[in-house]
């Protein structure tokens, strides 16, 4: 495994880092973008767009972990994780939308995708397919082959 597991982690980090500036810029220009292209009536949607922009880096980090699960013929785990995220999304939206409105729905979407990232990463690491996206302890830098569950 060694280098493959490290490559999955690096890919997730690079992809997430590449999308973070896009999310930041989208968040910052959401209002002028929406009002400029669609008119002032759409300005109210800017906070939701600013929140939803953060799905970009989350999805970019999630993709390598989902892909390695597919490559290892673990589609059932991937499906279970996606269904868990979808179930969380529905349940949390039932609470968030009446309380906070569209911004709540946007935040729930980001949280749901973060949940899928955590679940996919957890399964890929436990199966010895990838290294975790974040070090296990502050200041600890993961080394290839340094995580349990790895099978050479």
């Amino acid at each position: 495994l060694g280098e493959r597991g490290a490559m999955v982690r690096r890919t997730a980090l690079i992809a997430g880092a590449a999308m973070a500036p896009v999310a930041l810029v989208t968040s910052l220009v959401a209002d002028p973008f929406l009002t400029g292209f669609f008119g002032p009536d759409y300005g109210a949607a800017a906070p939701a767009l600013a929140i939803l922009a953060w799905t970009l880096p989350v999805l970019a980090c999630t993709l390598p972990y989902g892909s390695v699960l597919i490559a290892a013929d673990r589609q059932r785990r991937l499906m279970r994780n996606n269904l868990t995220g979808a179930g969380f999304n529905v349940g949390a939206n039932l609470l968030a939308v009446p309380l906070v409105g569209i911004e709540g729905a946007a935040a729930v979407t980001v949280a749901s995708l973060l949940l899928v990232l955590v679940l996919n990463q957890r399964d890929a690491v436990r199966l010895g397919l990838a290294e975790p996206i974040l070090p296990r302890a502050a200041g600890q830098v993961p080394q290839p082959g340094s995580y349990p569950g790895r099978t050479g």
Side-chain angles (χ1 to χ4, degrees):
L1 171 70
E3 191 55 33
R4 181 184 65 195
M7 182 178 64
V8 171
R9 177 181 180 273
R10 270 195 317 274
T11 302
L13 288 172
I14 291 168
M19 294 311 295
V22 176
L24 180 61
V25 169
T26 302
S27 294
L28 294 174
V29 302
D31 186 53
F33 172 79
L34 289 174
T35 56
F37 279 98
F38 303 108
D41 292 343
Y42 288 85
L49 178 59
I51 295 166
L52 286 171
W54 293 97
T55 63
L56 297 171
V58 173
L59 286 169
C61 289
T62 303
L63 186 61
Y65 288 101
S67 295
V68 78
L69 289 172
I70 291 169
D73 200 27
R74 304 297 182 156
Q75 292 91 334
R76 285 182 191 219
R77 286 180 187 252
L78 180 61
M79 178 62 75
R80 181 196 67 211
N81 295 343
N82 284 321
L83 289 173
T84 301
F88 172 80
N89 186 283
V90 169
N93 270 313
L94 289 173
L95 296 172
V97 171
L99 294 173
V100 190
I102 191 172
E103 292 87 0
V108 165
T109 298
V110 175
S112 299
L113 294 173
L114 279 169
L115 175 60
V116 172
L117 168 59
V118 168
L119 294 173
N120 286 349
Q121 186 244 203
R122 180 202 63 193
D123 284 346
V125 170
R126 284 184 179 172
L127 292 167
L129 302 170
E131 293 181 355
I133 197 164
L134 298 175
R136 291 193 174 184
Q140 180 183 9
V141 178
Q143 299 298 316
S146 64
Y147 291 96
R150 303 190 54 145
T151 57

